[in-house]
Amino acid sequence: MTELSGIPKGFRAVKSLPEAAEAAAVVRAWMDAPEQQSLDVAGLDLTGADLSDMDLGDGLFTDAKMSRVKFSRSDLYHAHLEGADLMGADFTSATLAKAVLDEAVLDGARLEGTNLGSASLWGVTAKAACFRGAKLNGASFLKVDLTGADLSEASAFETSFKVLVDDSTRLGGFRGTLFGPISILEGEERRELSGPQLESWFQERGAEVQALRPRWTPQ
C-alpha cells in the first residue's frame, strides 16, 4: 500500500518477466487486468523475474519457485508466500507487512531494510539470510532457522522470536522487545534461553533486547 511503501497502488511496471512461458503469460495478463485484481502465480516458476518497485499487495505466491527473484522496494502487503522457494531472493527495502511466509525457504535471501511488521514466519528456514536493518515489529518468527543469518541493526517490538541461532548469527545493533525463548545451536547440542539469560546472551553480542513475559499461560 502506498502509505507503507511509497509505491502507488496498482503500479505494475514489470522490469523483467519470468523465464517460464506459463508464468510470463500470467504476469503479462495481470499487467492489463483491473487494478483491484491481485497477482496469482501460486505454484508457478518465476525464475528470472524482476518484480522490483511494484504494488504486489495481497498477491498469491504460494508454493511458487522464486529463487533469486527481485522484489526490491516492492509492496507485498498481506501477500501469501506460504511454502515458496525464495532462496537468494532480493527483498531489499520491500514491504512485507502482514505477509504470510509460513514454511517458505529464505536461505540466503536479502531483506535489508525490509518491513516485516506483523508478518507470519512459521517453520521457515532462513539460513545465512540478511535482515540487516529490517523492521520486525509485531512479527511472528516461530520455528525459524536463523543460523548464519545477519540481523545487525534490525529492530523489533513485541515480536515473537522462537528461533534457532548459532555463533555465526550476527546481532550487533539489534534492539527491541521479544517473546522467547530462543534456541542456540552449539555444535550438535541445543540449549534454550529466555528471560534475563536471553537478554544477557544478546547483550554479549552487541544487541539490546528486552525479553517479554508471555501474555498468557496455559491453564
Side-chain angles (χ1 to χ4, degrees), residues 127-207:
K127 298 177 182 178
C130 183
F131 294 86
R132 179 183 291 270
K135 300 175 181 65
L136 315 180
N137 296 355
S140 294
F141 278 62
L142 304 175
K143 297 184 178 180
V144 176
D145 188 341
L146 292 173
T147 54
D150 184 355
L151 290 100
S152 304
E153 308 300 331
S155 59
F157 178 74
E158 295 188 352
T159 300
S160 296
F161 209 63
K162 298 181 180 180
V163 302
L164 177 66
V165 296
D166 63 4
D167 284 340
S168 64
T169 304
R170 284 167 281 181
L171 297 161
F174 184 94
R175 63 196 182 281
T177 57
L178 303 173
F179 294 99
I182 64 168
S183 295
I184 302 169
L185 184 64
E186 298 174 328
E188 296 182 359
E189 302 294 325
R190 296 190 187 193
R191 63 185 176 109
E192 195 172 273
L193 294 180
S194 59
Q197 288 183 320
L198 183 152
E199 294 174 354
S200 296
W201 188 86
F202 271 93
Q203 187 175 14
E204 290 168 1
R205 285 154 182 82

Side-chain angles (χ1 to χ4, degrees), residues 20-98:
E22 181 182 3
V26 170
V27 174
R28 193 180 291 112
W30 170 75
M31 290 170 65
D32 296 324
E35 180 182 296
Q36 64 270 23
Q37 182 174 323
S38 300
L39 177 60
D40 184 352
V41 289
L44 298 183
D45 185 350
L46 272 70
T47 302
D50 186 346
L51 304 177
S52 301
D53 300 297
M54 294 179 62
D55 177 11
L56 301 168
D58 293 307
L60 299 176
F61 300 88
T62 307
D63 295 322
K65 296 179 180 179
M66 299 184 285
S67 178
R68 295 182 175 80
V69 169
K70 297 179 181 178
F71 295 97
S72 300
R73 300 171 300 280
S74 284
D75 190 340
L76 291 106
Y77 178 86
H78 203 261
H80 285 265
L81 301 102
E82 297 97 324
D85 177 2
L86 295 162
M87 186 178 295
D90 187 353
F91 290 96
T92 302
S93 299
T95 294
L96 283 163
K98 295 191 176 180

